[in-house]
Amino acid sequence: MASRKTISTAKAPAAAGPYSQAVSAGGFLFISGQLGIVPDTKNLVSGSAEDQTRQAMINIGAILEQAGLGYADIVKTVIMATDINDFAAINQMYASFFTGNYPARVFFQAAALPLQARVEIEATAAYGA
């Protein structure tokens, strides 16, 4: 059986249900969907979808760091937004976290997200990517 390890850090919002911030298994790190929640305040960033995207990506970065990885190790993301018209702003902020070699990605509009968030991002990273 492959080894499986739960990854968590206080530098990202705690799981708000029966799930882990991330799970390391089979050479990959599977990061649960991250909202634009500030870990210290446990509040959603108020403002634009771009602001929430920035905070969600910062949260992903904190989880990656806890696992000994970085943004360059992300191989796939899924972005959910409550308004497809925010695509350009979200895309611009998201892209600023990478230096080329972008991961594969899915982006779609969702009817609603937890806490009335505008954006949620999940990521999969590979060890040794």
Side-chain angles (χ1 to χ4, degrees):
M1 177 179 233
S3 80
R4 180 180 190 273
K5 180 180 176 189
T6 299
I7 305 293
S8 66
T9 176
K11 294 180 182 178
Y19 62 91
S20 300
Q21 284 177 332
V23 173
S24 174
F28 292 95
L29 180 69
F30 301 94
I31 300 174
S32 294
Q34 295 296 305
L35 303 176
I37 295 175
V38 178
D40 293 339
T41 66
K42 298 178 178 55
N43 292 323
L44 191 64
V45 171
S46 60
S48 68
E50 185 177 17
D51 293 336
Q52 290 188 17
T53 300
R54 178 186 305 110
Q55 186 61 51
M57 291 299 292
I58 290 169
N59 295 341
I60 287 169
I63 296 166
L64 288 164
E65 181 181 357
Q66 182 68 28
L69 298 170
Y71 294 107
D73 299 305
I74 296 175
V75 295
K76 171 84 184 288
T77 59
V78 176
I79 300 176
M80 295 155 275
T82 56
D83 187 347
I84 201 69
N85 293 311
D86 289 329
F87 178 85
I90 292 168
N91 207 40
Q92 183 176 4
M93 177 54 64
Y94 168 87
S96 73
F97 284 83
F98 300 98
T99 55
N101 291 324
Y102 298 109
R105 185 181 82 183
V106 174
F107 188 120
F108 60 90
Q109 180 172 315
L113 294 170
L115 304 177
Q116 298 180 329
R118 298 176 71 168
V119 178
E120 182 172 356
I121 304 172
E122 71 173 66
T124 302
Y127 292 94

